[in-house]
Amino acid sequence: MNLIFLGPPGAGKGTQAQLLEQREGIPQVSTGDILRTAMAAETPLGQQARQYVDQGELVPDDVMIAIIEDRLNQPDARRGFVLDGFPRTLRQARALDRVLAATGRRIDLVLYFDVADDVIVRRLTGRRVCRQTSHIYHVESSPPRRPGRCDIDGSELYQRDDDQEETVRRRLEVYHRETEPLVEFYRRRGLFEPVRNGDIESVHRRLVEILKTRAGSR
Ligand code: AMP
């Protein structure tokens, strides 16, 4: 299935997309991870993106659309994907339709993760990420077994620069202004499915149920 995870930063999209990839084999396509990898490697894309990402601003649409076109045309994504962090603007959403239509594909479902701003601020400022695997932890709600080290490969965990409180608030402003209009865009097309908030495992179970129901009715 071709899925979009829509919702504010810190709503759990990345965590749930990672679980779906591990357990159901649907590849996670995270534009944030793609940009962070490019930034760490200091490629031309990474250097261009850094000024936006570190400020909590959106990277220009043209750059993001080129990235996603390339990624969705790779063989693993031909069999289905979870888009995590894309689209973030109406222009990106329309471009996504065009990119998919060019290869006879379309979006099957948009799963919406709605979480209040104050919860997000708490979650993101406590988030820690593995440098190697991008696996996500939280200092309180989902701590690693060994402090500061990834459970999967023992690599160092770090706090993203854009998870500092001031930048989180900026990202939320940008989300409400640029990305929230996509809720109506997809609702009108009947693709929209809200996912009730909860702990990681119960949200995962709900997602799997929704996907099974939808797959069965296609
Ligand atoms: P995320 O990991 O999804 O929170 O993304 C981290 C940052 O990467 C965002 O705050 C943006 O600066 C940038 N970014 C990721 N995806 C997009 C996108 N689709 N459009 C524009 N900027 C993006």
Side-chain angles (χ1 to χ4, degrees):
M1 287 183 100
N2 301 332
L3 308 172
I4 293 174
F5 280 8
L6 183 64
K13 306 185 300 294
T15 302
Q16 293 297 333
Q18 285 179 354
L19 273 184
L20 269 189
E21 176 168 293
Q22 284 162 19
R23 298 183 186 172
E24 308 291 324
I26 309 175
Q28 172 198 21
V29 175
S30 159
T31 43
D33 282 349
I34 293 170
L35 294 175
R36 279 183 290 279
T37 302
M39 283 162 55
E42 302 205 353
T43 64
L45 167 67
Q47 286 166 356
Q48 189 189 4
R50 181 178 297 283
Q51 52 180 320
Y52 302 99
V53 175
D54 284 350
Q55 303 294 317
E57 304 290 341
L58 294 185
V59 174
D61 284 339
D62 291 341
V63 175
M64 298 312 302
I65 291 164
I67 291 175
I68 214 70
E69 178 161 22
D70 178 60
R71 180 66 188 88
L72 294 184
N73 284 324
Q74 288 170 23
D76 64 328
R78 294 291 183 127
R79 295 186 303 276
F81 52 79
V82 174
L83 277 179
D84 160 21
F86 189 97
R88 265 177 153 97
T89 65
L90 279 168
R91 241 191 98 211
Q92 291 182 11
R94 294 195 182 103
L96 175 63
D97 287 340
R98 282 196 299 278
V99 165
L100 293 176
T103 47
R105 293 177 289 174
R106 61 180 164 77
I107 292 297
D108 296 307
L109 197 58
V110 178
L111 293 139
Y112 178 55
F113 296 71
D114 191 14
V115 178
D117 284 8
D118 56 337
V119 177
I120 302 258
V121 173
R122 245 179 293 136
R123 271 194 194 171
L124 288 190
T125 52
R127 174 159 75 178
R128 299 293 180 271
V129 184
C130 171
R131 274 202 198 281
Q132 293 304 323
T133 66
S134 301
H135 197 79
I136 300 165
Y137 299 86
H138 189 280
V139 288
E140 284 158 16
S141 60
S142 178
R145 283 193 292 272
R146 212 155 40 107
R149 293 281 157 190
C150 178
D151 289 351
I152 297 171
D153 68 351
S155 302
E156 183 199 3
L157 304 183
Y158 75 107
Q159 181 176 34
R160 286 168 43 175
D161 284 342
D162 59 345
D163 280 347
Q164 311 282 342
E165 179 162 348
E166 196 187 324
T167 317
V168 168
R169 293 197 185 278
R170 179 75 196 126
R171 289 162 68 200
L172 281 167
E173 264 174 53
V174 171
Y175 171 76
H176 290 303
R177 192 182 65 230
E178 303 285 345
T179 310
E180 226 168 16
L182 297 181
V183 169
E184 267 319 297
F185 178 82
Y186 288 116
R187 206 199 298 271
R188 276 202 298 271
R189 289 167 52 178
L191 294 177
F192 190 78
E193 184 86 50
V195 185
R196 212 161 13 99
N197 192 11
D199 63 65
I200 291 173
E201 285 299 329
S202 57
V203 172
H204 175 70
R205 278 195 300 275
R206 272 175 220 145
L207 276 175
V208 170
E209 252 168 56
I210 293 171
L211 298 186
K212 290 214 166 103
T213 313
R214 284 278 177 154
S217 65
R218 280 201 303 165

